[in-house]
Amino acid sequence: MSDSILSATSPRSSRIVGSPVDAILPQYVNYLRAQRYADDTIQRYLASLVHFTHRLDKGLTLADINDVLVAEFVDVHLPDCRCPRPCMRHVNTVRAALRHLLAVLKQEGMSNADRTQLQTPVDIELELFRQYLVDICGYAQTTCSNRLGYIRHFLDSVFGQGPVTVDQLAPMDIEAFITRCFKGRSHATHRTYCVDLASYLRFRSLQGNDTHALLAAIPHMAPPMPARLPLAMTDRELGLFLAAFDLTEPIGMRDFAIARCLADLALRRMEVVRLQLGSFDWQNGIVTLTGNKSGRERKLPLPVQTGEALVRYLQYGRPDTSNRAVFVRQIAPYDKPISAGAITDLVRCGFVRAGLGERFHGVHVLRRTAATRLVRSGASLKEVADVLGHKHLNTTTLYARVDLDRLRTVAQPWPGSRS
């Protein structure tokens, strides 16, 4: 089906003629086809564009279409839409169509998004801090994003739209900010604020600012001790969970292989996303993890059951794609790795199908389960830390409380007690 025929088959296509989007329709359709969207889906997306452009000010150009305009249409107009029928009103469909439109505009160089410069001194300061976190500290992207969010809160509250002048800060400014932030928040959040603020002040000290007094104003908070044992699945619960995937369908094969990687290798979500076809040494049964949270390469033995699940998926479930990621999307847009959010969804759905939805919710329980099983099988904390990729052994000591019988064998008698 040609682009012109595809556009003409829409009963609403005549209304898009003359709009600013009309000039980019061929590129838009080609973009969707390149990602192997079905013709029916492309028709729905075109209908969404018709609805969107019908509401546009006729004086707008393609360069004026941005995230703000799209968000206003989806979040404000669609819920109370009174446009004459027929028009596409399905929120998820319209949002996806407009997200693709923004991508095409950016790809064709017709978007102003890339031309936006850093507007405020706080933006400039945060970009310098981000480079420090990535280049000097070697933090993962998620860690950087979270830390930048807290520091933005601090800088905005202290400097507003004005210049960032750390030399003018006093210890009472730090104390006042921390006092405001601590209200109604947990101990863990308190500690996060303190750690992130100290990280920023150390960064400023490297830039020549004297931050000793400011750092001294930050309270030193001990990490909270967990009130209970780490929540982990029993062998029976794990068996029910792994049996909840349909191995006769490609998506079921993929999801089962992901579940085995999470439960057998104790991988994090992003470590699963970043697995490449070249990550596996099939002959020696080894998987190599790179680009992980610790920033260090990690090699793990590949259990037989995990390897079998992966081979089944690679042979019978993985779609044809040029992408080197092991786990890729099974529906359009194709040729892209599965997202971390999709992994969360497939695990949650697995819990529900297994009848465990009320007890377990997140992905991390599989990682805790793997660690707990290692401890109970006799692995040392150092071995568990190596599998989990922990930089510090103290992080792994949480699992020492799992096997109380083993702990009793190494417990020393109280001084002065009777033997």
Side-chain angles (χ1 to χ4, degrees):
M1 185 185 295
S2 66
D3 295 340
S4 59
I5 294 176
L6 183 60
S7 298
T9 54
S10 172
R12 315 168 187 86
S13 61
S14 59
R15 294 172 56 196
I16 204 170
V17 176
S19 75
V21 179
D22 184 51
I24 204 162
L25 279 184
Q27 294 95 318
Y28 183 77
V29 173
N30 289 336
Y31 171 85
L32 295 176
R33 280 193 175 143
Q35 300 187 66
R36 292 189 276 172
Y37 279 97
D39 285 345
D40 288 344
T41 303
I42 298 177
Q43 288 284 11
R44 289 193 292 272
Y45 286 170
L46 288 174
S48 301
L49 295 191
V50 172
H51 189 183
F52 176 65
T53 56
H54 179 65
R55 298 289 303 178
L56 286 179
D57 186 333
K58 300 304 180 184
L60 291 179
T61 65
L62 286 175
D64 296 319
I65 299 176
N66 54 29
D67 292 327
V68 175
L69 201 62
V70 168
E72 181 181 2
F73 180 79
V74 174
D75 299 332
V76 178
H77 172 71
L78 282 184
D80 298 315
C81 176
R82 295 296 183 269
C83 295
R85 295 182 180 275
C87 67
M88 178 59 68
R89 295 176 178 172
H90 191 271
V91 173
N92 289 340
T93 301
V94 175
R95 182 184 286 114
L98 298 181
R99 185 178 67 246
H100 291 310
L101 175 62
L102 292 174
V104 173
L105 291 174
K106 182 178 180 180
Q107 179 178 288
E108 298 295 324
M110 299 180 182
S111 171
N112 282 324
D114 292 336
R115 304 170 202 165
T116 303
Q117 301 297 320
L118 296 173
Q119 297 296 319
T120 68
V122 169
D123 292 328
I124 298 173
E125 179 74 359
L126 289 175
E127 176 59 22
L128 294 174
F129 185 46
R130 186 194 66 79
Q131 294 175 9
Y132 161 79
L133 294 176
V134 173
D135 299 337
I136 305 301
C137 300
Y139 287 137
Q141 184 62 41
T142 303
T143 303
C144 293
S145 298
N146 294 338
R147 185 157 296 185
L148 289 172
Y150 283 117
I151 299 305
R152 176 180 289 279
H153 183 197
F154 168 69
L155 296 178
D156 284 341
S157 67
V158 175
F159 301 109
Q161 298 297 314
V164 178
T165 51
V166 177
D167 286 332
Q168 297 181 8
L169 284 176
M172 64 181 63
D173 296 320
I174 303 294
E175 294 170 359
F177 172 75
I178 290 177
T179 300
R180 291 195 304 271
C181 292
F182 275 18
K183 290 182 179 178
R185 291 184 168 89
S186 66
H187 178 88
T189 304
H190 297 172
R191 186 168 182 270
T192 299
Y193 266 110
C194 294
V195 170
D196 292 352
L197 193 53
S199 174
Y200 172 70
L201 293 176
R202 286 193 296 270
F203 156 71
R204 288 311 314 175
S205 69
L206 293 177
Q207 309 304 310
N209 300 107
D210 184 4
T211 61
H212 289 87
L214 301 178
L215 285 166
I218 301 176
H220 295 279
M221 305 191 67
M225 290 298 295
R228 55 190 175 90
L229 297 177
L231 180 63
M233 306 173 72
T234 65
D235 291 343
R236 175 183 173 277
E237 290 170 336
L238 181 60
L240 289 173
F241 170 72
L242 294 174
F245 297 92
D246 183 2
L247 299 184
T248 64
E249 296 292 334
I251 290 182
M253 296 179 193
R254 182 200 65 184
D255 293 352
F256 178 72
I258 290 174
R260 294 243 61 135
C261 288
L262 295 168
D264 298 337
L265 300 176
L267 300 188
R268 301 179 178 93
R269 292 185 309 168
M270 289 308 301
E271 290 173 338
V272 173
V273 170
R274 292 170 180 155
L275 283 176
Q276 301 289 304
L277 295 177
S279 300
F280 296 92
D281 179 353
W282 297 104
Q283 185 173 358
N284 296 306
I286 295 175
V287 56
T288 302
L289 305 175
T290 57
N292 46 56
K293 186 175 181 180
S294 66
R296 299 173 298 174
E297 182 179 276
R298 193 158 99 250
K299 293 182 181 293
L300 297 176
L302 184 64
V304 173
Q305 65 271 21
T306 314
E308 291 175 346
L310 285 165
V311 169
R312 181 192 298 110
Y313 161 67
L314 293 174
Q315 287 185 336
Y316 307 111
R318 190 172 185 267
D320 293 334
T321 174
S322 59
N323 198 297
R324 297 291 294 173
V326 173
F327 299 108
V328 294
R329 290 178 57 90
Q330 300 285 139
I331 58 176
Y334 291 93
D335 304 320
K336 290 186 177 182
I338 190 174
S339 67
I343 292 178
T344 299
D345 291 340
L346 72 88
V347 170
R348 184 182 296 115
C349 291
F351 287 145
V352 172
R353 290 194 302 270
L356 304 170
E358 294 185 0
R359 178 166 164 76
F360 303 112
H361 306 283
V363 175
H364 210 69
V365 67
L366 296 174
R367 181 172 164 86
R368 291 194 294 265
T369 299
T372 301
R373 295 177 74 194
L374 284 172
V375 171
R376 287 174 174 166
S377 67
S380 67
L381 285 184
K382 178 61 171 65
E383 292 170 331
V384 176
D386 290 341
V387 172
L388 298 180
H390 288 164
K391 284 184 177 181
H392 305 290
L393 195 59
N394 287 341
T395 310
T396 319
T397 54
L398 168 67
Y399 298 100
R401 301 189 301 149
V402 172
D403 197 336
L404 297 180
D405 292 334
R406 290 187 64 200
L407 286 177
R408 291 190 184 98
T409 64
V410 298
Q412 298 297 315
W414 187 261
S417 62
R418 296 178 179 177
S419 57

